[in-house]
Amino acid sequence: QVQLVESGGGHAPFGGSLRLSCAASGRANLFNAMGWYRLAPGKQREWVATILANGDAGYSDSVKGRFTISRDNSKNTAYLQMNDLKPEDTATYLCSAGPATPGGWWAQGTQVTVSS
């Protein structure tokens, strides 16, 4: 199985930056894909970004150009650098992982709050 431990998040001003980390443990092939989703009050869960172990990455249109996902395979850790934050980015961010796409295992989630 896979365990995910997420860290980072917190409060940021409009236009500010935050970085999330997600450390995975378990069989590496089970977390080939790592990524983040976010859940805001009154909204459905939204996919944010995904990165594969080979470095291929994808982003939702809402964060493209502002967020950067990366990973350090030697540390089994993925990172989400969030720049130019907006109030609409306020949400609980959930790290997830899986063999081909995220969604198989989930971290505990971390709150990101952006003030206007």
Side-chain angles (χ1 to χ4, degrees):
Q1 301 303 311
V2 174
Q3 287 189 321
L4 301 173
V5 179
E6 190 172 6
S7 60
H11 293 261
F14 183 94
S17 298
L18 288 171
R19 189 175 86 152
L20 306 181
S21 300
C22 181
S25 60
R27 290 169 51 191
N29 65 305
L30 296 180
F31 53 88
N32 172 66
M34 297 181 71
W36 270 271
Y37 290 76
R38 64 188 182 186
L39 184 61
K43 296 185 178 180
Q44 291 189 336
R45 187 175 64 194
E46 177 189 15
W47 169 70
V48 175
T50 296
I51 187 166
L52 303 181
N54 66 4
D56 288 347
Y59 301 89
S60 69
D61 288 341
S62 61
V63 306
K64 195 175 297 182
R66 300 187 298 120
F67 291 11
T68 302
I69 192 169
S70 61
R71 67 190 285 170
D72 184 338
N73 291 330
S74 68
K75 298 180 179 179
N76 295 334
T77 299
Y79 306 94
L80 185 68
Q81 178 66 43
M82 304 182 292
N83 297 330
D84 191 22
L85 284 163
K86 305 175 181 180
E88 51 263 43
D89 294 317
T90 296
T92 298
Y93 282 70
L94 301 157
C95 174
S96 185
T101 60
W105 289 270
W106 296 86
Q108 75 279 14
T110 188
Q111 180 65 35
V112 170
T113 302
V114 183
S115 56
S116 57

